[in-house]
């Protein structure tokens, strides 16, 4: 083993993984796998969380080539042997704090780590969107991903466009509400400061609606009437499979506001983030024109 060929990476738990060479068969939590693909690394397999079912949630998979990437399951269907069926030489997972592996039960995560290196990246609200993206990019580079300056240029352009759209509407900026529909009578309204991607929008000047203080750290659960009493002029709606459709919540009397599909488990690659910022800019322009 030479010093040049050895691979080492310290994850956000402070644990270092090492191998004789950069791992080439990566199994990842779906969010991490889709982000790595956006950064130039194709995983051999992905797994979901307790929110997911027997098939991958395409709201979370981005542009992953699902025909070529095995989905090994989610939640209680996962055990060590099932995870290792894809023959990974590295597992990439995420954490929402405390170093806990999201999507895997402790009795699965611990023996898994005894058999294959596991890298855990922190995607919690304690970090900025940029900090999380930088960590994914660092991991991707360590695995052999080539720099993609055109992707960064696209992201810079998307940010500048959104800033320009916001500036053009600053006198009467549209009210933007992020939510996860829970059926015809209830919605979980996001507290923007708790979501790294929403904080990016706020930094770019987007007027995000903040629900009143009360129960719920990340979401404020409100009735349908109370949700639309917040007078949203643009709606970011959770499109993950376990969320209810917005049409079910909105019904025939709901606010006819422009809608942006929103994945609260965002991908941290530049291309996907640029697409999202572009959709928000389009919706703000539509709201201004209406």
């Amino acid at each position: 083993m030479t010093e040049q060929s050895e691979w080492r990476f310290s994850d956000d738990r402070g644990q270092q993984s090492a191998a004789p060479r950069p791992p080439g068969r990566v199994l990842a939590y779906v969010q991490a796998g889709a982000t790595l693909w956006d950064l130039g690394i194709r995983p051999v397999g992905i797994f979901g969380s307790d929110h997911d079912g027997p098939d991958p949630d395409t709201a979370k998979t981005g542009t992953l080539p699902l025909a070529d990437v095995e989905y090994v399951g989610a939640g209680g269907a996962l055990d060590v042997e099932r995870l290792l069926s894809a023959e990974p030489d590295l597992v990439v997972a995420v954490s929402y704090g405390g170093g806990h592996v999201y999507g895997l039960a402790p009795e699965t995560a611990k023996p898994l780590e005894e058999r294959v290196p596991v890298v855990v990246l922190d995607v919690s609200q304690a970090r900025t969107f940029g900090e999380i993206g930088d960590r994914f990019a660092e991991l991707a580079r360590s695995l052999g991903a080539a720099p993609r300056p055109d992707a960064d240029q696209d992201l810079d352009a998307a940010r500048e466009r959104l800033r320009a759209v916001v500036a053009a509407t600053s006198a009467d900026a549209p009210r933007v509400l992020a939510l996860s529909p829970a059926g015809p009578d209830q919605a979980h309204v996001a507290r923007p400061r708790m979501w790294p991607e929403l904080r990016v929008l706020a930094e770019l000047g987007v007027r995000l609606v903040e629900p009143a203080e009360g129960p719920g750290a990340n979401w404020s659960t409100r009735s349908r009437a109370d949700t639309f009493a917040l007078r949203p002029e643009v709606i970011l709606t959770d499109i993950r499979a376990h969320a209810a459709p917005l049409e079910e919540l909105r019904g025939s009397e709901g606010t006819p506001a422009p809608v942006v599909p929103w994945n609260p488990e965002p991908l941290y690659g530049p291309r996907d983030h640029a697409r999202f910022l572009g959709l928000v800019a389009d919706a703000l322009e539509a709201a201004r024109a209406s």
Side-chain angles (χ1 to χ4, degrees):
M1 182 192 307
T2 66
E3 189 175 63
Q4 288 76 18
S5 65
E6 186 178 15
W7 174 82
R8 292 182 181 275
F9 190 86
S10 293
D11 72 7
D12 292 340
R13 302 171 297 173
Q15 296 187 19
Q16 186 177 82
S17 296
R21 61 189 61 82
R25 295 185 61 81
V26 178
L27 173 69
Y29 176 62
V30 58
Q31 179 188 36
T35 296
L36 289 172
W37 171 248
D38 198 26
L39 292 166
I41 298 295
R42 188 177 80 183
V44 296
I46 53 174
F47 62 91
S49 72
D50 289 332
H51 288 305
D52 298 312
D55 298 310
D57 183 348
T58 55
K60 300 181 183 182
T61 55
T63 58
L64 266 175
L66 295 177
D68 302 316
V69 177
E70 182 181 3
Y71 179 69
V72 300
L78 292 176
D79 57 26
V80 173
E81 297 306 321
R82 179 66 178 154
L83 289 161
L84 293 177
S85 66
E87 300 182 344
D89 50 14
L90 175 67
V91 174
V92 179
V94 303
S95 173
Y96 283 91
H100 303 294
V101 179
Y102 181 67
L104 296 181
E107 58 269 24
T108 300
K110 187 175 185 299
L112 176 68
E113 198 153 11
E114 292 170 352
R115 296 176 62 178
V116 65
V118 176
V119 164
V120 179
L121 297 184
D122 188 342
V123 298
S124 71
Q125 65 267 22
R127 288 188 151 176
T128 68
F129 191 93
E131 288 169 343
I132 299 168
D134 287 346
R135 287 293 281 154
F136 272 106
E138 182 182 354
L139 175 60
R141 287 193 300 270
S142 81
L143 296 173
R148 303 171 78 175
D150 57 328
D152 292 330
Q153 291 166 6
D154 290 346
L155 179 55
D156 289 341
R159 287 172 174 156
E160 289 307 312
R161 182 189 168 217
L162 183 53
R163 283 193 187 98
V165 170
V166 168
T169 62
S170 59
D172 188 20
R175 295 167 56 83
V176 178
L177 184 68
L179 55 78
S180 180
D185 303 315
Q186 196 174 68
H188 306 300
V189 176
R191 299 191 185 280
R193 66 185 182 277
M194 303 303 290
W195 301 88
E197 190 173 40
L198 298 185
R199 295 204 303 267
V200 170
L201 298 184
E203 290 162 5
L204 294 172
V206 175
R207 185 185 179 191
L208 290 161
V209 177
E210 179 76 51
E213 292 298 328
N218 300 326
W219 306 97
S220 172
T221 301
R222 307 173 70 93
S223 69
R224 176 184 181 277
D226 286 347
T227 297
F228 289 105
L230 294 170
R231 298 180 291 110
E233 295 166 281
V234 171
I235 296 174
L236 310 184
T237 188
D238 186 351
I239 56 168
R240 293 174 296 175
H242 68 274
L246 178 63
E247 292 73 18
E248 186 177 309
L249 171 70
R250 190 156 57 175
S252 60
E253 301 175 4
T255 306
V259 174
V260 176
W262 174 48
N263 172 17
E265 297 181 58
L267 312 191
Y268 291 94
R271 294 188 189 279
D272 192 84
H273 191 40
R275 282 192 291 270
F276 175 71
L277 296 182
L279 291 173
V280 174
D282 290 344
L284 292 176
E285 289 185 327
R288 181 180 60 183
S290 63

